[in-house]
Amino acid sequence: MVQTIYLAGPDVFLANASEITERKREICREFGFEGLFPSDKEASVKIDARKIFEANCALMRRADIGVFNLTPFRGPSADCGTVFELGFMFSLGKPVHGYSSDDTCYSRRVEASDGPVTIRDGHSYDRNGYEIEDFALTDNLMLGNAISKEGGILTTFKETAGEPLAALSAFRLCIESLPRGLMG
Amino acid sequence: MVQTIYLAGPDVFLANASEITERKREICREFGFEGLFPSDKEASVKIDARKIFEANCALMRRADIGVFNLTPFRGPSADCGTVFELGFMFSLGKPVHGYSSDDTCYSRRVEASDGPVTIRDGHSYDRNGYEIEDFALTDNLMLGNAISKEGGILTTFKETAGEPLAALSAFRLCIESLPRGLMG
């Protein structure tokens, strides 16, 4: 049995989303996995948010593994739809893994997207005075810890030529590092 | 038995987080619930990200209900730690509800935080060319649909005087709308 991987990420919002999907599907195949994408649904589903939601939940329940594109999206953190799905699959007890084309620490990300960071009494604050988590992690502590908890893999690789949001290099690294997909 | 509510949100990053926590705890009590907060942990836990993660997961498993502060945080979307927890509790089959001090649609939020939005062939794109979900929702479709799926409540109320990130008015509206907390 080939193991199936649910592949979540903000790359669905790219203009060339279907091309990126095909490349990721091919990389999965190369390493003995079958990639399941949120967009693997009837075209007619696209107009109805509830149906997309239901289809994604059904795919996540069906998949053996979850692999999440945690590249920052519209701010210093991962895409919140992707993160919802990470919480969903982690809670189901499925193996979860992540990848990102951005390896900078969270504090620097906040600075890059939000402006100057202030340090006071050993704590960092953004320009609104909101404290910045400081655990030398790349994003909110719930994400990385969910992945590492059961021995998941989190790869980062800066995209120099390709689209940073697709994070194809980090994706390839992640998939080739997974325990091989051929079971039984 | 008084029902317990896990109260997730980015308000933990406010300078007066403990004051906001106390006010929310009091509102829970007023309506017959017990509020459980991610910060309800040993002070010593604060220095260890893994321990905070474990403590939050344990609290979520213990709570009867989840109530999530989905006010935008450092960008157009909800805080990703909060969203992880929404996915986690939804997946466990617990009732989930949300509140926010921002009722603007997602497209406008992107415009406000990221700059001009372009419309082409009936679709909206941000300044990086990434498509903007257009379902007249306030955030990624996974969030609102998880809440509405089992009849959860999502309240919005603009804070005029208080701290927008605490969203105390919307919080109160949400808690007072919940089915009453006294069971058995």
Side-chain angles (χ1 to χ4, degrees):
Chain A
M1 272 292 277
V2 171
Q3 283 185 293
T4 54
I5 307 180
Y6 183 77
L7 291 154
D11 6 347
V12 295
F13 304 118
L14 286 169
N16 63 341
S18 54
E19 181 197 326
I20 299 295
T21 298
E22 275 322 302
R23 291 186 64 182
K24 290 189 173 174
R25 201 190 295 280
E26 188 46 52
I27 291 169
C28 287
R29 242 184 250 122
E30 188 182 335
F31 293 100
F33 298 98
E34 182 192 345
L36 305 176
F37 292 82
S39 50
D40 284 356
K41 50 187 181 279
E42 307 291 320
S44 65
V45 159
K46 294 211 175 187
I47 51 163
D48 185 324
R50 166 54 63 93
K51 283 186 184 160
I52 297 175
F53 172 79
E54 297 287 1
N56 290 356
C57 289
L59 267 184
M60 287 191 280
R61 290 187 192 282
R62 180 182 144 205
D64 300 307
I65 302 166
V67 171
F68 300 86
N69 181 350
L70 300 175
T71 305
F73 184 63
R74 294 183 183 138
S77 282
D79 165 53
C80 77
T82 304
V83 170
F84 174 89
E85 296 177 340
L86 173 61
F88 184 98
M89 288 192 77
F90 174 74
S91 186
L92 289 178
K94 309 227 181 198
V96 291
H97 309 277
Y99 63 100
S100 170
S101 62
D102 188 328
D103 64 355
T104 51
C105 77
Y106 185 64
S107 177
R108 272 177 197 268
R109 290 183 179 194
V110 172
E111 200 156 38
S113 74
D114 243 19
V117 163
T118 311
I119 300 175
R120 213 166 50 237
D121 303 329
H123 296 277
S124 303
Y125 300 87
D126 69 14
R127 67 183 164 85
N128 294 305
Y130 304 149
E131 191 169 353
I132 300 171
E133 268 189 4
D134 184 20
F135 297 106
L137 298 170
T138 56
D139 209 328
N140 185 287
L141 70 88
M142 299 302 286
L143 282 52
N145 276 283
I147 289 171
S148 62
K149 164 92 172 137
E150 308 290 345
I153 293 158
L154 178 52
T155 57
T156 53
F157 199 94
K158 196 175 162 76
E159 286 295 327
T160 45
E163 162 64 59
L165 194 64
L168 275 166
S169 308
F171 176 74
R172 191 185 173 86
L173 261 183
C174 183
I175 299 297
E176 74 181 17
S177 307
L178 298 182
R180 278 312 168 95
L182 297 166
M183 301 189 298
Chain B
M1 271 294 276
V2 171
Q3 283 186 291
T4 54
I5 307 180
Y6 183 77
L7 291 155
D11 5 347
V12 295
F13 303 118
L14 286 169
N16 64 340
S18 54
E19 183 198 325
I20 298 295
T21 297
E22 274 323 301
R23 293 186 63 183
K24 290 189 174 174
R25 202 190 297 279
E26 189 45 52
I27 292 169
C28 287
R29 244 185 247 121
E30 189 183 335
F31 293 99
F33 298 97
E34 182 192 347
L36 305 176
F37 291 83
S39 51
D40 285 357
K41 51 185 180 281
E42 307 291 319
S44 65
V45 159
K46 294 211 175 186
I47 51 163
D48 185 324
R50 167 53 65 93
K51 282 186 184 159
I52 297 174
F53 170 80
E54 297 287 0
N56 290 355
C57 289
L59 268 183
M60 287 191 280
R61 290 185 193 281
R62 180 183 143 203
D64 300 307
I65 301 166
V67 171
F68 300 86
N69 181 349
L70 299 176
T71 305
F73 185 63
R74 294 184 182 138
S77 283
D79 165 52
C80 77
T82 304
V83 169
F84 174 90
E85 295 176 340
L86 173 61
F88 184 99
M89 288 192 77
F90 173 74
S91 187
L92 289 178
K94 308 227 181 199
V96 291
H97 308 278
Y99 63 101
S100 170
S101 62
D102 188 330
D103 64 355
T104 51
C105 77
Y106 186 64
S107 177
R108 272 177 197 268
R109 290 183 178 194
V110 172
E111 199 156 39
S113 74
D114 242 20
V117 163
T118 310
I119 300 175
R120 214 168 46 238
D121 303 329
H123 295 277
S124 303
Y125 300 87
D126 69 14
R127 68 184 162 85
N128 295 305
Y130 305 149
E131 190 167 355
I132 300 172
E133 268 188 5
D134 185 19
F135 297 106
L137 299 170
T138 56
D139 209 328
N140 185 288
L141 70 89
M142 300 302 286
L143 282 53
N145 276 283
I147 289 171
S148 63
K149 163 94 172 137
E150 308 290 345
I153 293 158
L154 178 54
T155 58
T156 53
F157 198 94
K158 195 174 161 79
E159 286 296 325
T160 45
E163 162 63 60
L165 194 63
L168 275 166
S169 309
F171 177 74
R172 192 184 173 84
L173 261 183
C174 184
I175 299 298
E176 74 181 17
S177 308
L178 297 182
R180 278 311 168 96
L182 297 168
M183 300 190 300

